[in-house]
Amino acid sequence: MNQRVLWSGRFAQGTSDRTLAFTTSLDVDNRMAFYDVVGSLAHVRQLVERDIIDPSSGEAIEAGLKGILSDLWQNKVEWDGALEDVHSNMEFLLTDRVGEVGGRLHTGRSRNDQVATDFRLYLRDAVLDLMELLMALQTTLVCLADEHMDTLMPGFTHMQHAQPVSLGFHMMAHFQRFQRDGDRLMDSFDRINVCPLGSAALAGTTYPLDRHATASMLAFDRPSENAMDAVSDRDFAVEVTFVCALAADHLSSLCEELVMWSGPEFGFVEMSDLYSTGSSIMPQKKNPDVCELVRGRTGSVIGDLTSMLIMLKGLPFAYNRDLQEDKAPVFHAVDTVLSCLDMTRDVLDTMIVDKERMGAVTEDGFINATDLADHLVTLGLPFRKAHEVVGGAVRLAIEKGGCLEELSLDELKGLCDLVGDDVVEVLPVRRCMERRNTYGGTSPESVSLQILEAESCLRKREEFIGKRRDSIALAFKALTG
Ligand code: ARG
């Protein structure tokens, strides 16, 4: 049996070592230690302010907590697995330092509101980290778009050549997905940024705590509205995990394309040696393992979301120990997506684009057929009829073993008596890309506009992150001194 025993008054004998080993969460939740101390610093100040504990006890506790903080920074904290979790470890560390007075800290507080507070404090920073790395990846996508708004490539549907686009346009399509992920994180921030402290075990507390004051000391927007909900609510964590899962999906699509594009069948890009790996048997191999792992790890992040949803399903109010299982999947989802964002950006930053090859493959596959049909429409044909006529032209070209541009003017004119000499101007693939000039289209002009708008979105995002980071830093500085 361990010497340090938790809340032993009720028990005739201690909890067994096996139970302690089964129930501990320390290995997972000790990463919230810093937030636990900061939350305690706000709580103890409030206890003193409201005359719930005397100022000298408050000072001793505050000094003890600050000492623990400095040990944390120096990695000197000695954790005790037998003490269940990070919260009780912190309490014991405190009483080890300051003596019995440390026992006054837990007045008007429960681990239930404490853990909910720590988790929110942690996730608030994690969301800003995710937003920052999303932005870094998006910035790379914008740079690529800027560089390649004239780089022709096939746009695909059903993995068949559909219509010509630019690589820049394609990169901006990925940008938009990550932009929405960032928007979702921004939305989630407001729901995370609510303070459960003072909810105590489930019903609030008899001590006259000013919960608004505690909330603002920790840079939360407001205190939570209902104590029973506050100690049980993990919606905010599910939301973040969902955004992680969707961002992982988005990353996996991007990486899947990069895997395909780097193979010889496509040959669109070559990855830097820095982000490729070799084969133990085939000397010629240069494998896109980073992208494959990003794609592969998506599954585990989706698993994290499923774990969270199923853990919460059917839980009665209020706190249940099941809730302890919330942190591992969320931490895993956040860590995984952070590293995937980081690596994917590096892969994109360092890959070499083979513009010639990309352009050359647009010559196969009748990628300009829609434009020929559109041309016939401008001559007066109903689109459905034009579609049929061009279908015939494609068939003719296939029989002759060539593409639409290789049909003679007479052959093209033979398709429909409205066709004139200017039909040849319709067919060059680059023109087909440049002509798609509607808002949101692939023309360089349109992509330039998309880039401008993207840059303004990124600036706003940066401002959002900066403001939040500043107010958190200010509040924490005031607490930690
Ligand atoms: N380690 C616990 C968790 O993460 C802390 C809260 C424990 N509360 C309790 N009533 N057992 O959920």
Side-chain angles (χ1 to χ4, degrees), residues 25 29 84-85 87 110-112 115 234 319-321 323-324 326-327:
S25 58
D29 60 27
E84 272 194 28
D85 56 27
H87 321 291
S110 154
R111 278 186 300 162
N112 299 349
V115 68
R234 296 295 183 269
Y319 180 86
N320 298 276
R321 194 65 180 270
L323 288 170
Q324 180 170 286
D326 59 358
K327 280 166 284 304

